[in-house]
């Protein structure tokens, strides 16, 4: 097997303010001295057992200088001697490459989709969870499409619990940890009616919305009740291409969500399309049911209503909706930070079980399996 050397170091240049690193893939970056010194990973600065910093950063000289630096191991490492250290401190090229200011993870595995681009690829047999390779296959589906249907599950809570514990752990919420539901007029939430539930993300009223939602169909003796999935990234992409101003409004205006009932009042707010500092989408949050009252000036109010109407109309268009009636023993699992979910109206009995998993635990499973 040939090694990926694109993140190796070709050469370095010691500058007054930092170290200029030229990587094999032709990218380059200047790492400031104080940053490099703060990330020293030798024995006295780094606890390898706990993966924690030992350096007392506040005591470092902010104007620290490099005494000497060399490229070693054919570009796999850089060795630095600092003005306050006598020993060589080794930095791996991989570490530096991943921390370059322009670094971004390869996102080619993420498939942004509309209805006709979804096929049998999203189905996955529960039995495959028995081994690590099978589990990784499910994670890849979830990472690529934002959802998957796990077939052949036992029609009780044990399969929900097993899968949740495989990825992370069951998250507790106002609905409990592991929940069972059917049409129930006594609960405050719209999820318990049998009217059509329009596409939305859950917990816009929570500062840290659940990352994954699991929904297992245990009993189905009904007409309708199809599960609806909509790729929030596709909706965002479509709006961006159609109307930049509305896209910008959706990325900037913080929309509050509210849950009042069952003895609590929960509130949180964030933009419908949340971006990171590199303008990449990190989270889609859209729930017209749970939107709390808030005011903007008259001009922005007009733009906001235009923007959410466009978003909601797209999410409710068949072109973007994957619709499927879950059979007993089928479990729908989806990324609540990306995919909107809904459910068609139905008559009859439909009994479901499910749970939430934290986003960070899903991310962790993806990192452990080297998807990100
Ligand atoms: Fe929901």
């Amino acid at each position: 097997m040939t090694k990926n050397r694109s993140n190796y170091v070709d050469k370095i240049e010691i500058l007054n303010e930092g170290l200029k690193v030229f990587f094999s893939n032709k990218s380059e970056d200047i790492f400031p001295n104080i940053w490099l010194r703060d990330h020293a990973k030798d024995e006295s600065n780094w606890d390898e057992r706990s993966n924690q910093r030992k350096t007392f950063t506040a005591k470092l000289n902010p104007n620290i200088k490099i005494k000497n630096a060399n490229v070693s191991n054919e570009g796999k490492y850089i060795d630095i001697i600092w003005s306050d250290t006598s020993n060589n401190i080794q930095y791996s090229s991989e570490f530096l490459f991943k921390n370059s200011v322009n670094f971004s993870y390869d996102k080619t595995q993420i498939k942004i989709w509309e209805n006709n681009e979804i096929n049998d690829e999203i189905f996955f047999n529960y039995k495959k969870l028995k081994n690590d390779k099978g589990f990784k296959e499910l994670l890849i589906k979830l990472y690529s499409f934002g959802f998957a249907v796990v077939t052949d599950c036992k029609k009780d809570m044990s399969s929900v619990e097993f899968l949740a514990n495989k990825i992370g752990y069951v998250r507790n919420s106002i609905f409990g940890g592991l929940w069972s539901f059917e049409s129930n007029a006594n609960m405050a939430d719209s999820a318990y009616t049998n009217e059509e539930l329009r596409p939305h993300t859950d917990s816009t009223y929570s500062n840290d919305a659940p990352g994954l939602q699991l929904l297992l169909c245990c009993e189905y003796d009904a007409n309708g009740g199809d599960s609806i999935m909509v790729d929030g990234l596709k909706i965002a992409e479509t709006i961006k291409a159609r109307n930049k101003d509305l896209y910008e409004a959706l990325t900037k205006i913080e929309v509050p969500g509210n849950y009042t009932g069952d003895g609590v009042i929960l509130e949180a707010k964030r933009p419908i399309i949340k971006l990171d500092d590199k303008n990449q989408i990190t989270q889609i949050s859209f729930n017209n049911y749970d939107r709390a009252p808030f005011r903007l000036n008259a001009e922005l109010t007009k733009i906001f209503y235009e923007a959410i109407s466009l978003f909601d109309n797209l999410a409710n268009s068949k072109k973007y909706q994957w619709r499927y009636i879950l059979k007993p023993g089928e479990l729908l699992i989806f990324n609540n930070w990306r995919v909107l979910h809904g459910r068609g109206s139905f008559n009859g009995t439909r009994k479901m079980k499910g749970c939430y998993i934290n986003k960070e635990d899903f991310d962790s499973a993806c990192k452990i399996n080297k998807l990100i």
Side-chain angles (χ1 to χ4, degrees), residues 121-270:
E121 263 182 279
I122 53 100
F123 290 96
F124 173 88
N125 194 296
Y126 185 84
K127 288 191 190 105
K128 288 190 186 174
L129 286 174
K130 276 189 202 143
N131 60 60
D132 292 348
K133 199 176 149 224
F135 176 56
K136 186 171 178 177
E137 202 184 300
L138 175 62
L139 285 179
I140 292 171
K141 289 176 197 295
L142 272 174
Y143 181 70
S144 300
F145 299 104
F147 78 103
V149 176
V150 183
T151 59
D152 226 359
C153 301
K154 258 177 95 177
K155 287 169 256 173
D156 59 38
M157 205 60 102
S158 65
S159 38
V160 175
E161 205 171 1
F162 178 78
L163 180 52
N165 289 329
K166 193 100 187 134
I167 296 172
Y169 57 93
V170 174
R171 167 180 168 141
N172 218 336
S173 73
I174 186 66
F175 307 110
L178 296 158
W179 19 263
S180 302
F181 67 91
E182 55 187 303
S183 184
N184 182 345
N186 295 324
M187 284 301 285
D189 201 80
S190 51
Y192 292 85
T193 76
N194 50 11
E195 306 287 312
E196 166 137 339
L197 258 179
R198 294 191 303 275
H200 62 278
T201 60
D202 271 11
S203 307
T204 49
Y205 47 77
S206 166
N207 287 314
D208 172 31
L212 293 173
Q213 184 169 166
L214 282 68
L215 287 170
L216 169 69
C217 176
C218 295
E219 222 182 293
Y220 177 84
D221 182 13
N223 288 311
D226 26 358
S227 296
I228 304 167
M229 298 269 93
V230 175
D231 190 353
L233 295 180
K234 185 73 188 181
I235 302 299
E237 188 183 272
T238 307
I239 294 172
K240 194 178 184 180
R242 219 178 263 192
N243 189 320
K244 284 251 173 356
D245 292 343
L246 297 186
Y247 179 79
E248 201 175 301
L250 292 169
T251 62
K252 296 259 161 67
I253 298 171
E254 297 211 317
V255 182
N258 171 284
Y259 183 98
T260 301
D262 310 306
V264 296
I265 299 173
L266 304 175
E267 274 191 17
K269 61 177 178 180
R270 57 185 161 270

Side-chain angles (χ1 to χ4, degrees), residues 41-97:
K41 288 195 170 179
D42 64 326
E43 226 179 24
S44 56
N45 286 287
W46 186 252
D47 184 340
E48 208 155 306
R49 197 177 41 88
S50 65
N51 284 306
Q52 286 179 303
R53 177 182 290 102
K54 282 158 81 175
T55 317
F56 194 165
T57 303
K59 298 281 186 210
L60 292 177
N61 173 2
N63 300 312
I64 195 160
K65 298 278 179 258
I66 293 174
K67 238 195 267 174
N68 193 22
N70 290 302
V71 179
S72 65
N73 274 57
E74 298 172 342
K76 206 174 168 190
Y77 296 101
I78 294 174
D79 297 329
I80 299 178
I81 299 176
W82 293 98
S83 50
D84 70 342
T85 59
S86 50
N87 57 319
N88 244 342
I89 295 178
Q90 200 160 60
Y91 297 79
S92 82
S93 59
E94 190 189 357
F95 170 78
L96 296 172
F97 187 74

Side-chain angles (χ1 to χ4, degrees), residues 6-13 19-29 31 71 75 78:
S6 63
N7 58 16
Y8 275 33
V9 174
D10 274 350
K11 63 170 182 162
I12 53 174
E13 237 176 77
L19 186 71
K20 189 166 186 180
V21 179
F22 300 81
F23 293 99
S24 306
N25 75 341
K26 303 296 167 214
S27 66
E28 51 187 65
D29 194 5
F31 292 87
V71 179
I78 294 174

